[in-house]
Every structure is written in C-alpha cells, then in structure tokens.
Amino acid sequence: STQSTGSIGMITTLLCLHLLFLTVAAQTCTRDIYTSLPPLPSFPSTAYSGAVSPANQYTTNHWSQVAKMIRPTKQIVTTQTNCPHLAANLVDWHNPSIWGGSVPANRSSFSIPQNTSVLISSCSINKSFVFGLVTVPVGSSLIFGDAAITFQANGMNVLGTLAIGSPTCRLRNKITITLYGSRSAQPLPAATTVKGISVQGSIDVHGVEYFPTWTRLAITANAGDSVIFIQDCPNWQPNQTIVITTTELKDTRDWHRNEKAVIQKVYTTTIASTVCAVALTAPLQYRHYGGSEYQAEVALLSRNIVIQGDAFNSEPTDTSPVACTYGTSPSTYPCDNKFLTGFGAHVIVIGSATAGRFSGLELFRVGQTNQLARYPLHFHLLGNITSPNRFFISDCSVHRSYFRCYTIHGSYASSLANGITVTKSTGYDVIGHCFFASEDGNEENHSITYNFAAYVHPIGPFWQTSYGITDNSTFDVYKNPNGAQSFYSQYSDYMRSSANFIRPDDVASAPFYITNGYNIIEGNAASGGWTGFGFPNFPAIVGPSSSNTKVCPKNRPLMSFKGNTAHSTGYWQSHAAGVYLGGNLVASPTGVQTFTAGRFLPARDSCQDPIYGSPNNTKSCPTDQRIWLKFFDTKVFLSNVGLQSWGDRSELIRFEVHDVQLSTNVFGQVWIDQMFVNCRSRNNVTKYQGCNTTQWWTCNPRDYTFWNGYHGFEFYDTAQSHILTNCIFQNCQNSIWSYLTHSDQFTPGLMQATKNISYSQVNMSKIMEPSTKPPPNTVSGRAANWLDVDGTVLPLFPVGTKVNIGSNWAGSEWWRYNSQCVNTQWNWICPMKPGDDRVSLILHWASDAMESGIGPTYCRNGAPYLPCPIGAYITHFNRNETDPYLVALMARVSGPLIAASGGWFIRFPNGTPNVVKFTDMQIEHDSVLHVAIPYPAGTTFDIYAQAPFWCVPPNPPYQSWHPICRHVYRPVASINQVRSSWGDTYFYDSTTQLLHIRIISLDSFTYSFGTNATFNDNAVWTSTSTWNTYFSRGGVSLLVTGSSFFSVVINATSANCQPNCPPMPNVKVPGYNGSPVYGTPPPGVKRVVIDY
C-alpha cells in the first residue's frame, strides 16, 4: 500500500542520514593531544575538623603484639615515559582509509590492519557500539590513548600487541572496556575469546596508582558512623568505592558483615601523620572492630581503567534462595547449588605470549563459574619464563567475580627474578579461590606480596561436613574411608570433579590458595573463605602440566611466608584454620580430579629435592634433605584454629592469634617461638553467627563451639615433637594447655617441651586440662606428659627448675619423681633432680595376632570404647607395687627414669611371656633404663636387637660388607655390668629370679647394626655404637620419636614358660623394703599442695 511504501522510504532515509553522520563524525574526529591530562590523584592535605578520640585509643603503623606487619614501600610513578600512545608511526582508528574506506561498524567482527599500530582516541569509537570479535594480528598493535574511552566488544584476540599505557606510562583518564556475551549463547567450554581478552602476543594495561590499595582501621567503626579512621593516608578520591571487611567469624552470603561504601573525602588528622579520616557518603550499617588487638581491613575497589562484563548477561541467574537449612537445625548456610551460572569477562595471557603486565586495573563482573581457564586475570601455561619483568600484576582490583581473581597456571621460573609478581592487588566478593597462585602444582619462583582478598565463596557441599552427612544429589561425593566427616572430625568426604564442580578443591575455597610453596608469600591479608591461606597436598602435578613427574608439589618448601594475616575464616570445620596445610587432590589418567579437604596421609614431607614423593620417586625425604616450613610474623583472628598443619615439619616464629578456638594444631617436628595467644579480645563478636534462636544448643556446632571453650595450645596424642618457647597467653578463662586423652590406640611418647612461658589475665585454676575426663582411664591419658624446661608453665618452683608434668591418671606413684612433687587435679608437677630423666617405649607382651586387633577389636581411638586388656604392671624400683603403671594391649609406656629409684620392675599378672619385645624406645644415650623382669630358675635366654624387616643378611660365608641384622646380647655376671654396658648385655639373678637388662634407643642405626667390617661379626657395642637423634630449637632438645622397626627381643626358654611362665608373686620389687624412696628435696624448695 501507499502507507507501507512511505514508511519504507522514511526508514531508508534515516539509515542513510545515520551512515552520513557516522562518516562525518569519523572525518571530524581528531587525535587527542594529551596536553591537559587529569592531575595525579592527590594525597590528603585538608585537616579533619570533627571530633576525635584520645590519640592512645588509635592503632597506628599497623602495630601488632608480636607479629611484624610488613607494608609495601611507597614508590609511585608520577611521570609518563615510553608511552605507547605517543609513539611515532601510529595511525588513527577513526581514519577510514586504514580500514579500506570505512571504520568498523557496530556488531562487526574484524582484524586490525596488518603490520599497523592503531591508536584509539576519545572520539574514535561511538560509545554505543558493541563490536563482535576484535583481532589484533601478529605484527600489529592496538593502542589506547590517555583519554576518556569506552570500548565494547564480544571479545578480543590479541596475537600482536594491546597497549593501554606502559609500566612507566600510567594513564590518567577513565577507560572502560566492556565485554559482552551470555552463558547460553554457545556450547561450553567456550573459546578463550568469548567474553574475553585472549592474549598470545603481548598486553600492557596501566592505570593510575592509588597507594596503598588497602589499609586497616585505626579505631572501631560503629554502625551509623559516616567517618572512619584508617592507618594510612592514601590518595583515594571522592566517589571511589571502598570495602570495609567483617570482624565476625561467619562470612558467607547468608550472613556476613562486609560492606561497601563510597568516599566523600579523605582528611588528615592530628592523631598521627599516618592516620587519616575517610568521610563516607552514607553511614555504615555494621560495626567493624578496630581495637589494638586487630582491625578490619579497608580496601579500595575503584580504578580508572576498568575491564568488566556487561550488565545484562554476567550476573548468575540461580541466586535464590541464598540461605538453606538442614533438618531441624535453625542454622543457615549458603545453598550449594546456587550462584553457579555467573558468566563475566576474563583476561587470559596464553603460552606463547611475550608479555602480560597489568597495574592500576579494575576488573568487575568477571570470571565464568566452573569454566576452566576463564578467570578474571590469568597467566595460562606460560611454561618456563626465562627473562625478567615480562609478567606482573600490581595494584589491581577484582570485585564481583564469579570465578577466582588472579591465577598463575602452568607457569614457572628457574629464578625469582624471572617469576611472576602479583602485588598490592585486591579481591572482593569472589566465587572460588581468589589468589590462585598455583593451579597445577608446578608454579614456582613467583612473588605474591601485599595483597588483600575478602568475602570468598566456596563451591560445592562444603556445609555437609559440619552436619556429618554425605549427600551426593547435586555433587559427586563419597565418604572418606579413613573416617566419617563431622564438624569435630579430622576427616571430610571425597569429592570428584564434574560439570558443575570443575575443580573439587573449590569446596575449600580460599583468599590465597597455594599448591606449591616454593614462592614468596609476604604481607598479604585474607578475610573469609574456607581457610585464609590454603596449602593443599598435591602428591603430583595435575592438569596440562602433569607430564612433569619429577616434582612432588606438596613437599616443596616455603620460599618465604612472612607478615600475613587471616581472619573470619575456618568456620565450616573445627580443624579449618586461618592458615591450613591439609587436604589432598589427585587426578586420574582421564583427568577426573578427587579432593578431600580433611586430613590425609601420607602427609606433607617438605624436602629440598623436589623429586622425593613424586611419581618418579615415591620415597620419603632423606634426612639430609629435610626442610622445615617456616612461618614468620603470622597473625590470625576470628577462626576456629589459627594454623592447622597435617604436615611433618614446621616452625612458627612470632605467631599471633586472637579470638580463635585453638591457637594451632600442628603435626610433626614443630617449633613455636614468640607465640602470643589472646584468648578473647574486646571485640563483642555476634553470638551464634546469625543462628536465629534462643536455644543455641539446637544450632549446628559450627555456630556455638567458638563460645563454648578455648584451648591455648593442644598437645597431640602420638608421634610428635613440639617445642614451644617464649610464649605469652593472655585473657584466657578456659584451659590454656590441653592434651589429648581420648585414645587407647594412639598414645604419646616424649613429644613436647616448653620454655619461658608467661601469662596475663588468665584463670590459673585452668592452666592445663585433659581433653576428656575418666572414665575411661585411657592409655593416652596415663602416658600424657611434657617437659617444662625452666618451670614457667606453673609457678610452683623457682624459675629455671627443670620440671616434668605427667598425668596422674597413671596412679599416685608413676609420675611422682620425689616428695617435692605437686599433685594437681590432673597432673603430677615434679622438679627433676640431676640424673632424673623421661623415657618412653612400647612393651609388647601379647601375640602379633592379638596386637593386630588394636583399633578394630581392642583399644579403640575414642568412643565408643572397646576393651583394652591389661597385660603388665610396672613399678619403680624402691616403690610399693600397690599402684603400678598399667600396661595395656596398646603397650605404650611413658614415664620417669628416677635416679633415686634406679629402674623399672615389670610384672606380668598372668606370668611373663616367653617372648617379650621392646620397640619405639626414646631414651637418652647416657641414661640407664634398668629393667627387671621375673623368670623362674633354670630359664635360658636368647636376647637380641633386631633390625628392620628389610635388613636381610645373605647366607654365609659372610663378607665384610654384609649387614648385621641381629645383634645378640651377651650375659654378664652382675647388675653393675649391665648398667655400665651400652645396652647389649643381660644378667639373670637366680637368687631373686630377676632378669636385668638395660634398654637403649636404637634410632641411630640406618637399616642394620653395621657391617661385618665395622662390627666384626657381632662385636660388643661401645659408647659410640649408639647415639640419639634430637629435634632441637630455642635451647630445648627433644628425642625424636622412637623407631617401631628396631626392636629388643627377649626369648625365654623354660619348661614352665609355654607360652607364659607361671606367675611369681613372691618376686619383689628391687630395693623396696616397706617405705618408698623419693629422694631428698632440692635446697630451698617447699612442698606446695594445690587442689584445683
């Protein structure tokens, strides 16, 4: 019709006019001349005129009690040199001739002209245009001028160069790159260019530096405050956005206390030159603690250069409900099958890239949930980096990320100078690990310094652990065969990777996640997450880098871990911590990954040589290659545990904790020096973490355990060596020292020692307590002990007195060295005299078959308890047998070696077995553990030391190099000869019907007792034949845990001893004549009796 024809003509005319306008606009656009750039952001100079508190109520210079908080040096680039946009031979984007006659149109995909450097000016591109895929080919460059520029596209493929400033030319104008695309528009995984900047050439993005990028409160900010005080004076500007972190324990979507705010202005103050006031455009909603003990962080989110996802298709669509509950418990958790559809922008620097350098960049609405390699800012499979300054990230910001923040993947260097630096950067509101410092496990020689991350959201069924359930309806989960998960358990379920759970270790998402410790990690602050700093066990490199089978990532040492803090974390499991070394991830040959966040064995075995523990060499680390993981100046607050390590060796120097359930739980040989434990601060933490009920006991344990008890330090129950020196405990009203007493299966030897311990504002009636209370009277409870080197644990004796602390569960006599001992509610506290010592061993009295039932049939590890039969009694010489030490089937014996008594008398109530074996000996080289055992007259003996089972002697005739696997003991004529020998003699006294033997440690031997060349076919041991192995730190030495592979065996042959000799009730304890011998008290010491 006529009307229809007219409408078509009008549309045609409008389109022609629009194209004419675009052509004219292109022809009239001129290159920016950059003579009037915005000024550099200024540091505050206007004084705050409002009211302030007295100066002594503010924390300044990031002061901390013992941990030294290190901060970056102020080195701001104030000039512009080597600016790409000022280079010669640039051509203008808006020049149609370089494009063949017309500039790129809206929605078009195109390549930058070959071998051309194209400059974008402020007027070059219509701000409403959204291009398709923009390709920068090899030999070409796309350069942004220092001007207000909006650039929008579906993606960019950078094979040549993308330059937005340079390291020495930081741009000052606002530049925004928005990337478009929806999750459903293509099959997943999508190409790297989909809603991404994919770089195989080089990229430089450098905006204004705001310094520092994050700081801490100087004083508490209360709800309703519109001014906060901070411990630095940054060049932050009006209308920029900051975040103030939570100072609560729980930090999840369903309940948290982080909040963003907008800056009105930053002011100087008269409080201190380093304390500034930040006026906000609106009052705060929540309280953020800033006392002297610790302070909330304040971080800047805004930058002048922004790469972001579009506002239409980036946000996840599966966000409701946020909070879920389980069963009848009123506790809430963020629903684990939500927030899985985020599809933001990403930047990936790939393999052959020649440079990837970023500073002053803000990344917003970024990351693509559960899509591998689609992270906000990602160095991907760069391989061996062989030259310096090619790849770094500095003072950048990631917020509202749907998958991670900053990732180093499959990239390593042979020296720190060539490695990647990630520094002074921030991350906030992040799904999955934020600073993903090592994805495959081969990432080494990188530097992660002065960064901040907060409000990190785990993926998957992380909440199930605290309920003790296994539900695989949404995720591929199966039960841990080593132990059921629960809030209090050491274990958690195994989880497999799947389409909606692409990395199962995201169940333990952390602000900082480090699978290979051989990197610099200094001056960082972590808030939130499953843990603050996660160090999972990777027994082998995984992913695309897994062809390298000569590195065991979990065993790599820490290059440096110093000045880091963590808080509001470790909430989902009682062993989760501010710093967590645990969990395990392995990959199948098809690439399916399996992860558990809980304890896993074999544990970390830190080693100098990277090959040990790797697929190429599964052996444990040799003694001369062992490394201690060293943590310096670490501070943790508001966490279930300060630091949890399931590893073998570590040192914690200047370690500081506040408001945690337990300061540390550490395994292996560990030295803790200058630890400061502040059990409870002045921060009024919200009780029960948002579990909205007046009946707190109906909440999940994760919501109330924090308030129901506190232990300053807990000694473990078996196979450890812990030395604590120069430690302070403050504001503790619950037990300060705790030791595990729940087990009949796992029991303590000589494992712990302390020196120079002090207290302030503590409940002295609860200095030390067992973890359980009898009944039952467990083996671990009877053997519990530790050495207080200078008598400072309890102020009962003069400082400098060597004191043993031993459990009185073992009876009224066992741990009682002398008459000056003090019997408290749970322990004997005893000053030790010259010649007194502590020893430990396992006395095997039952058959191998019966011992194999320890755990499943007898002597269980905790409740519900199983029978744990008693097979022997031990009494000190010169003491009454009425209250002996009870030796159970799990036959650990830890106890005093009392010089005044002389030894141990061992009685077997059912008669002495014809085979008695000693293992796991911990005995000082010069200490004489004289043991007397009843045997009937006429008994003959075959007594020997047996090497481990892998020592196999060849058949005779023996050669000089042949190992000696069994060293036969020889009879001597007196007790004195036994006591003065080096442990390979015995004496049977037919008058008293007692066998006398000296028990020694055998740990010094490697796998045999020498060779025929050195021992001349079972030569007599001398003073140099055996020696001790110690763990020594801080002026304290502990014997290492005794070997279970070396043994001393007594084979008795008698017609009456098959398999046991008859009971011999008439055989008496050596030296006992009716009154126990306790020795004489040291001069000047009065007996003190305390009843707690």
Side-chain angles (χ1 to χ4, degrees):
S1 69
T2 303
Q3 185 176 2
S4 175
T5 303
S7 298
I8 292 171
M10 182 177 293
I11 291 171
T12 302
T13 302
L14 289 173
L15 287 173
C16 290
L17 289 172
H18 181 63
L19 290 173
L20 177 63
F21 169 77
L22 294 179
T23 302
V24 172
Q27 292 173 346
T28 57
C29 179
T30 58
R31 183 182 297 186
D32 299 311
I33 57 175
Y34 313 116
T35 56
S36 57
L37 295 175
L40 283 170
S42 59
F43 288 89
S45 58
T46 305
Y48 179 66
S49 59
V52 297
S53 300
N56 62 4
Q57 295 184 18
Y58 294 83
T59 301
T60 61
N61 299 315
H62 302 269
W63 178 88
S64 209
Q65 186 74 35
V66 297
K68 299 175 182 177
M69 298 292 97
I70 57 177
R71 298 287 290 162
T73 303
K74 183 178 177 182
Q75 293 177 326
I76 294 180
V77 176
T78 58
T79 58
Q80 291 185 334
T81 59
N82 299 318
C83 295
H85 62 278
L86 298 180
N89 302 318
L90 302 182
V91 299
D92 294 306
W93 175 294
H94 52 267
N95 183 351
S97 64
I98 71 168
W99 303 102
S102 61
V103 297
N106 189 25
R107 302 296 179 187
S108 64
S109 297
F110 53 90
S111 291
I112 303 299
Q114 289 284 346
N115 301 313
T116 305
S117 296
V118 176
L119 174 68
I120 300 177
S121 295
S122 57
C123 57
S124 293
I125 301 173
N126 188 310
K127 290 180 170 55
S128 67
F129 279 16
V130 178
F131 299 120
L133 176 62
V134 178
T135 299
V136 183
V138 175
S140 294
S141 301
L142 180 60
I143 299 167
F144 283 61
D146 195 350
I149 297 171
T150 297
F151 186 92
Q152 302 181 109
N154 291 341
M156 301 181 73
N157 188 18
V158 181
L159 306 174
T161 298
L162 175 60
I164 308 174
S166 75
T168 58
C169 181
R170 287 178 168 242
L171 304 190
R172 301 183 188 177
N173 277 281
K174 182 73 172 180
I175 296 174
T176 302
I177 298 175
T178 304
L179 300 175
Y180 286 74
S182 70
R183 195 178 184 97
S184 59
Q186 64 284 305
L188 298 178
T192 58
T193 53
V194 172
K195 209 169 186 177
I197 300 176
S198 178
V199 181
Q200 296 182 61
S202 69
I203 182 172
D204 273 287
V205 182
H206 305 278
V208 166
E209 179 171 7
Y210 297 97
F211 183 89
T213 53
W214 62 274
T215 182
R216 296 179 175 94
L217 290 177
I219 196 170
T220 298
N222 291 301
D225 287 352
S226 55
V227 176
I228 63 173
F229 295 87
I230 57 178
Q231 295 185 52
D232 290 283
C233 289
N235 58 342
W236 301 349
Q237 300 301 299
N239 299 315
Q240 288 188 311
T241 300
I242 60 174
V243 63
I244 306 107
T245 63
T246 182
T247 47
E248 302 279 357
L249 176 60
K250 186 177 181 180
D251 186 51
T252 59
R253 287 192 196 96
D254 61 305
W255 196 91
H256 73 97
R257 293 297 181 263
N258 305 287
E259 62 181 308
K260 295 194 290 186
V262 176
I263 297 172
Q264 186 182 77
K265 189 170 182 177
V266 181
Y267 297 90
T268 63
T269 70
T270 58
I271 299 161
S273 61
T274 56
V275 173
C276 272
V278 182
L280 309 175
T281 59
L284 295 173
Q285 291 182 284
Y286 304 121
R287 177 180 180 270
H288 304 269
Y289 189 68
S292 61
E293 307 95 329
Y294 56 82
Q295 309 86 35
E297 294 91 0
V298 183
L300 181 71
L301 302 181
S302 303
R303 305 291 190 272
N304 69 307
I305 298 179
V306 180
I307 296 176
Q308 63 182 9
D310 67 277
F312 310 104
N313 295 300
S314 296
E315 289 286 347
T317 56
D318 55 339
T319 59
S320 181
V322 171
C324 284
T325 59
Y326 178 79
T328 59
S329 170
S331 293
T332 64
Y333 61 88
C335 305
D336 61 6
N337 58 349
K338 303 298 178 182
F339 289 85
L340 299 177
T341 56
F343 198 72
H346 74 99
V347 179
I348 182 170
V349 181
I350 302 175
S352 60
T354 57
R357 299 177 292 199
F358 306 87
S359 59
L361 170 64
E362 177 184 348
L363 297 112
F364 175 59
R365 292 196 296 259
V366 282
Q368 298 172 5
T369 311
N370 274 322
Q371 296 301 297
L372 286 177
R374 304 303 181 261
Y375 316 135
L377 198 48
H378 178 198
F379 294 114
H380 180 71
L381 299 177
L382 299 178
N384 186 13
I385 305 169
T386 57
S387 56
N389 303 318
R390 290 171 53 202
F391 304 98
F392 67 76
I393 298 169
S394 178
D395 56 281
C396 293
S397 165
V398 170
H399 59 116
R400 197 62 180 161
S401 170
Y402 316 117
F403 209 32
R404 318 213 187 289
C405 298
Y406 311 93
T407 301
I408 300 174
H409 178 203
S411 309
Y412 54 91
S414 58
S415 69
L416 191 62
N418 294 342
I420 297 169
T421 294
V422 182
T423 187
K424 297 181 288 187
S425 296
T426 62
Y428 174 72
D429 193 5
V430 179
I431 296 174
H433 310 301
C434 183
F435 286 82
F436 200 18
S438 44
E439 184 170 351
D440 282 356
N442 67 331
E443 299 82 3
E444 295 192 356
N445 277 304
H446 305 306
S447 181
I448 314 297
T449 58
Y450 311 118
N451 302 294
F452 159 87
Y455 198 32
V456 172
H457 314 294
I459 304 174
F462 51 89
W463 60 275
Q464 292 185 16
T465 303
S466 55
Y467 288 100
I469 64 168
T470 301
D471 178 359
N472 60 3
S473 58
T474 304
F475 300 92
D476 189 357
V477 181
Y478 66 96
K479 291 183 178 181
N480 189 329
N482 296 312
Q485 69 175 8
S486 71
F487 178 75
Y488 300 108
S489 173
Q490 298 178 358
Y491 301 98
S492 61
D493 282 346
Y494 284 84
M495 304 175 191
R496 293 189 188 95
S497 55
S498 58
N500 62 347
F501 198 29
I502 203 70
R503 280 282 299 226
D505 51 349
D506 278 313
V507 77
S509 291
F512 295 86
Y513 196 69
I514 304 104
T515 67
N516 186 318
Y518 202 64
N519 295 287
I520 299 289
I521 306 159
E522 295 181 354
N524 304 290
S527 175
W530 192 92
T531 177
F533 293 84
F535 291 87
N537 291 335
F538 275 38
I541 295 170
V542 301
S545 308
S546 61
S547 59
N548 180 356
T549 60
K550 295 182 178 181
V551 173
C552 178
K554 73 171 184 176
N555 289 348
R556 297 297 282 138
L558 287 174
M559 184 178 287
S560 177
F561 189 93
K562 181 168 63 176
N564 300 295
T565 66
H567 70 92
S568 305
T569 188
Y571 165 75
W572 293 104
Q573 191 172 12
S574 66
H575 289 278
V579 180
Y580 185 79
L581 289 83
N584 195 73
L585 186 140
V586 295
S588 73
T590 61
V592 175
Q593 295 181 349
T594 302
F595 178 76
T596 177
R599 183 183 180 187
F600 184 87
L601 295 175
R604 190 177 295 262
D605 184 18
S606 46
C607 197
Q608 187 66 48
D609 191 329
I611 197 169
Y612 288 102
S614 71
N616 260 28
N617 188 336
T618 57
K619 294 180 180 178
S620 59
C621 186
T623 302
D624 61 351
Q625 290 282 317
R626 290 176 181 172
I627 295 290
W628 273 255
L629 300 178
K630 297 184 178 182
F631 300 85
F632 291 94
D633 300 300
T634 305
K635 183 174 181 176
V636 178
F637 52 98
L638 294 167
S639 179
N640 271 316
V641 181
L643 183 146
Q644 170 71 61
S645 173
W646 301 114
D648 275 359
R649 293 174 291 278
S650 54
E651 296 180 1
L652 283 65
I653 311 300
R654 294 184 297 277
F655 180 63
E656 183 174 338
V657 294
H658 306 260
D659 289 340
V660 298
Q661 176 68 16
L662 180 66
S663 63
T664 59
N665 189 31
V666 284
F667 275 48
Q669 294 180 348
V670 180
W671 179 35
I672 302 176
D673 184 54
Q674 301 173 68
M675 178 170 69
F676 179 78
V677 179
N678 184 32
C679 295
R680 289 294 177 259
S681 73
R682 293 168 296 165
N683 184 16
N684 186 21
V685 182
T686 304
K687 279 197 170 184
Y688 313 129
Q689 312 301 329
C691 180
N692 189 19
T693 178
T694 57
Q695 297 177 318
W696 60 264
W697 55 91
T698 63
C699 301
N700 189 268
R702 66 175 184 255
D703 288 328
Y704 61 72
T705 298
F706 181 82
W707 285 271
N708 285 11
Y710 177 88
H711 302 302
F713 186 84
E714 183 176 76
F715 291 118
Y716 203 63
D717 56 10
T718 192
Q720 313 298 318
S721 295
H722 293 163
I723 296 174
L724 282 76
T725 56
N726 308 307
C727 297
I728 302 171
F729 296 86
Q730 179 174 292
N731 297 322
C732 304
Q733 298 307 308
N734 292 314
S735 62
I736 294 173
W737 302 97
S738 176
Y739 45 90
L740 294 184
T741 54
H742 67 283
S743 183
D744 281 321
Q745 182 178 2
F746 300 111
T747 56
L750 310 180
M751 304 194 310
Q752 48 255 350
T754 53
K755 181 181 178 181
N756 193 24
I757 306 301
S758 59
Y759 310 99
S760 175
Q761 303 297 314
V762 302
N763 184 350
M764 293 299 289
S765 69
K766 291 190 175 182
I767 289 290
M768 59 188 76
E769 289 188 344
S771 64
T772 61
K773 310 295 190 295
N777 186 320
T778 59
V779 179
S780 59
R782 296 194 290 273
N785 70 95
W786 86 79
L787 176 65
D788 181 16
V789 172
D790 59 354
T792 53
V793 168
L794 270 174
L796 301 178
F797 308 102
V799 173
T801 304
K802 187 177 180 180
V803 172
N804 184 79
I805 300 169
S807 169
N808 61 18
W809 295 24
S812 60
E813 296 291 322
W814 182 247
W815 285 106
R816 189 180 184 189
Y817 278 76
N818 50 60
S819 58
Q820 284 69 51
C821 294
V822 176
N823 190 13
T824 67
Q825 183 179 5
W826 304 112
N827 299 282
W828 280 105
I829 317 296
C830 291
M832 297 172 67
K833 299 178 180 181
D836 287 348
D837 208 345
R838 307 153 63 245
V839 298
S840 182
L841 52 80
I842 294 180
L843 169 60
H844 300 267
W845 54 265
S847 66
D848 290 344
M850 191 172 181
E851 283 194 353
S852 68
I854 294 175
T857 307
Y858 306 102
C859 307
R860 187 181 179 133
N861 183 29
Y865 287 92
L866 296 173
C868 196
I870 303 300
Y873 305 147
I874 304 183
T875 306
H876 295 294
F877 291 178
N878 302 292
R879 299 276 182 92
N880 194 328
E881 256 190 296
T882 55
D883 196 7
Y885 184 92
L886 305 179
V887 183
L889 178 61
M890 198 295 114
R892 166 73 65 185
V893 183
S894 295
L897 195 162
I898 305 171
S901 296
W904 292 357
F905 172 70
I906 304 176
R907 183 186 295 280
F908 298 89
N910 295 321
T912 305
N914 59 3
V915 178
V916 175
K917 183 169 68 174
F918 299 88
T919 65
D920 299 74
M921 286 81 78
Q922 286 179 279
I923 306 169
E924 290 280 357
H925 178 66
D926 294 326
S927 294
V928 178
L929 178 55
H930 175 186
V931 169
I933 305 173
Y935 287 94
T939 305
T940 59
F941 300 95
D942 176 20
I943 303 175
Y944 55 87
Q946 181 66 50
F949 64 86
W950 57 84
C951 179
V952 180
N955 294 322
Y958 295 129
Q959 304 297 317
S960 62
W961 53 269
H962 285 167
I964 296 175
C965 302
R966 175 177 291 189
H967 181 72
V968 180
Y969 285 30
R970 57 193 173 88
V972 292
S974 69
I975 291 174
N976 285 338
Q977 286 178 288
V978 170
R979 293 179 64 90
S980 61
S981 75
W982 289 103
D984 58 348
T985 64
Y986 66 92
F987 169 64
Y988 178 72
D989 188 335
S990 58
T991 303
T992 61
Q993 295 185 300
L994 287 174
L995 173 71
H996 297 269
I997 188 171
R998 178 184 177 185
I999 307 297
I1000 61 168
S1001 286
L1002 301 174
D1003 288 350
S1004 57
F1005 296 110
T1006 52
Y1007 78 99
S1008 73
F1009 296 109
T1011 64
N1012 277 272
T1014 56
F1015 274 80
N1016 192 22
D1017 196 14
N1018 208 49
V1020 175
W1021 286 349
T1022 68
S1023 61
T1024 59
S1025 300
T1026 63
W1027 63 92
N1028 295 120
T1029 305
Y1030 294 94
F1031 173 56
S1032 300
R1033 294 291 190 278
V1036 179
S1037 293
L1038 277 175
L1039 282 168
V1040 297
T1041 303
S1043 171
S1044 60
F1045 297 110
F1046 285 94
S1047 59
V1048 173
V1049 180
I1050 302 173
N1051 272 316
T1053 302
S1054 171
N1056 296 323
C1057 299
Q1058 295 180 357
N1060 288 57
C1061 303
M1064 303 173 66
N1066 294 326
V1067 176
K1068 302 301 182 183
V1069 178
Y1072 180 66
N1073 59 5
S1075 58
V1077 175
Y1078 294 116
T1080 56
V1085 176
K1086 296 180 179 179
R1087 176 137 187 235
V1088 182
V1089 178
I1090 342 182
D1091 184 3
Y1092 288 158

